[in-house]
Amino acid sequence: MSVLLQLAFTFGMLSILAVGGGTAVLPEMQTLLAERFNIDHTAFVHIYSIGQLAPGPNMTMVLVFGFQLAGLLGAGVVLLAFFIPSSVLCLSMGRLWQRIGERPWRRAVQNALEPISIGLMCSGVYAVAKAAVVGPLTITLAVATFAVILLTRVNPVFMILGAGGLGALLMYFFGIH
Amino acid sequence: MPLAMNDANVTATPISNDTATTMTTPSDAHSSKDPVVVRPTLWQIFFEFLLIGAVSFGGGIVAYERILLIEKRQWLSADSFMATLAISQTMPGLNSVNLALLAGDQLRGTMGALAAALGLMLPGGAFVLVVGIAYSAGGQHPFINVLLAGIAAGATGLLASVTYTIGKRHFVQIKSLFMIVATFVLMSMFKLSLVWVLIVMVPIGLYLYRPGQQP
């Protein structure tokens, strides 16, 4: 019971703090999951990566943490806690905005939040990279994926799957790390 | 939901932006003054967003939503789409989910918002749950571990490229760069909790970008 409450509280707070999208709360999520629920950085990055392979909003991966800690009930609690607070806030404010119309301060809020959320995304890259990029092979795979996605129009999912397949092959059969 | 039943107020209040004027609400749905917008059923909303939720591998969901809302079904005008997108970006939460909520809300009220958001998240949620259960059961197998290590390296590259694409306009502006670096340092170097990072950075940002300032 206390695990469920703690999950609800943790993800409910992350929901409200997710300025500029889910990626902004990645570093905080990683820290909280390690501190409060003993999910180490490697497991965190694995589950995050599963989310990147999924269609739709890749933050649906949060429910895997709930499942690992408290089964299907935990997954349900995390899903509700992570999506309801921000959704209620967004709907309420959305209706308010449509009633009062565009105001200069809405633009100011958005302008102020944009660089903050980019800074948080940089922290997210840093946090994920620290756990995922651990040797010459993973550095190469990460940089190659980064470059190919920026330079070509190939779907990122294929790049991630390719990195996974190639990496697994080299690590498992040839012992390259 | 405190503001759930204010649809009637929307049309009763003087409106200054384009979003509200093209909105279809219960009170004007029966009048013939708005021939362009046909109110979709909840199932139509759910199904269209379910489709996006199922095919949008690799991100870019907002682009799919844009095509659906403006081109495929023409449920929103381009102007009201942009206004809705701006709100969904300003509010906390995932942009794609917020956009689905607000679009569904404009089409069918609270139930429409729910139908859109549920449809969008259902396929991916089912996917991660199935894969996640498999991972929880067999994640310690050495081959699964190296496979996920490779996938995680690729995912890092993807996250970096998304961050670069969204941020490149900001990395070259002195004010934005200051905000980005300060946020990063507080979060990753000083290890402040996210609440404190926001308590420090949001007021600074609001001051720097206050109305009348160049962004």
Side-chain angles (χ1 to χ4, degrees), chain B:
Chain B
M1 230 168 277
L3 294 169
M5 292 284 95
N6 67 357
D7 280 354
N9 296 346
V10 174
T11 41
T13 314
I15 290 157
S16 61
N17 74 340
D18 299 337
T19 312
T21 49
T22 51
M23 245 173 64
T24 318
T25 61
S27 47
D28 68 17
H30 303 293
S31 74
S32 56
K33 67 181 176 189
D34 195 358
V36 183
V37 183
V38 179
R39 236 156 69 101
T41 64
L42 286 176
W43 277 111
Q44 280 175 314
I45 297 172
F46 176 76
F47 178 75
E48 291 291 356
F49 279 95
L50 185 76
L51 214 57
I52 294 177
V55 301
S56 59
F57 286 94
I61 304 164
V62 168
Y64 286 93
E65 291 175 323
R66 184 179 191 287
I67 292 169
L68 165 70
L69 293 168
I70 303 184
E71 293 166 24
K72 185 179 171 195
R73 291 287 178 178
Q74 302 184 342
W75 283 338
L76 298 181
S77 70
D79 277 351
S80 63
F81 175 84
M82 289 315 289
T84 308
L85 179 65
I87 297 168
S88 69
Q89 287 171 333
T90 309
M91 297 310 292
L94 316 190
N95 294 341
S96 59
V97 175
N98 283 349
L99 186 56
L101 282 166
L102 292 172
D105 186 43
Q106 289 174 39
L107 294 165
R108 273 276 165 182
T110 306
M111 289 307 288
L114 240 123
L118 277 180
L120 187 66
M121 290 195 287
L122 204 59
F127 178 99
V128 294
L129 202 56
V130 170
V131 179
I133 289 172
Y135 168 73
S136 307
Q140 293 318 307
H141 189 279
F143 189 78
I144 302 291
N145 255 323
V146 290
L147 184 65
L148 281 168
I151 289 176
T156 308
L158 170 61
L159 184 58
S161 74
V162 170
T163 305
Y164 175 78
T165 307
I166 295 179
K168 65 181 171 199
R169 195 164 54 84
H170 297 267
F171 291 132
V172 294
Q173 286 175 327
I174 192 75
K175 212 153 55 170
S176 298
L177 191 62
F178 161 75
M179 294 288 293
I180 292 169
V181 172
T183 305
F184 178 82
V185 167
L186 292 180
M187 190 79 210
S188 293
M189 303 292 129
F190 293 161
K191 310 268 182 213
L192 287 193
S193 80
L194 181 53
V195 183
W196 281 107
V197 174
L198 293 177
I199 287 176
V200 173
M201 292 309 298
V202 170
I204 298 177
L206 286 176
Y207 175 75
L208 289 177
Y209 295 94
R210 63 192 180 275
Q213 292 295 110
Q214 285 295 315

Side-chain angles (χ1 to χ4, degrees), chain A:
Chain A
M1 188 60 207
S2 73
V3 176
L4 289 180
L5 274 177
Q6 226 180 345
L7 278 174
F9 178 75
T10 303
F11 281 92
M13 204 183 69
L14 288 173
S15 175
I16 293 175
L17 297 179
V19 296
T23 315
V25 292
L26 272 182
E28 180 81 354
M29 195 185 290
Q30 190 188 46
T31 309
L32 291 180
L33 284 170
E35 278 175 6
R36 294 182 184 171
F37 302 102
N38 254 326
I39 290 186
D40 64 42
H41 290 354
T42 309
F44 178 85
V45 165
H46 283 175
I47 292 169
Y48 170 73
S49 306
I50 291 171
Q52 296 287 21
L53 291 176
N58 48 34
M59 276 292 147
T60 47
M61 62 94 183
V62 293
L63 52 88
V64 180
F65 298 121
F67 177 80
Q68 284 207 326
L69 293 163
L72 282 176
L73 197 58
V77 165
V78 166
L79 189 71
L80 295 179
F82 192 61
F83 286 101
I84 287 185
S86 63
S87 297
V88 171
L89 207 59
C90 177
L91 266 186
S92 315
M93 289 307 287
R95 288 175 177 177
L96 197 66
W97 257 309
Q98 260 142 22
R99 245 188 359 213
I100 62 176
E102 179 77 2
R103 289 281 183 274
W105 51 262
R106 194 210 59 77
R107 191 67 233 181
V109 172
Q110 194 184 348
N111 284 342
L113 291 182
E114 253 172 25
I116 294 174
S117 75
I118 293 165
L120 293 173
M121 287 178 79
C122 293
S123 292
V125 175
Y126 179 69
V128 171
K130 262 205 310 194
V133 178
V134 289
L137 177 62
T138 40
I139 292 177
T140 312
L141 289 173
V143 171
T145 308
F146 173 78
V148 172
I149 290 174
L150 281 183
L151 298 175
T152 69
R153 298 180 61 87
V154 65
N155 190 314
V157 165
F158 296 126
M159 282 309 298
I160 298 176
L161 284 175
L166 187 66
L169 216 68
L170 292 173
M171 284 186 260
Y172 194 73
F173 292 110
F174 298 96
I176 300 168
H177 282 274

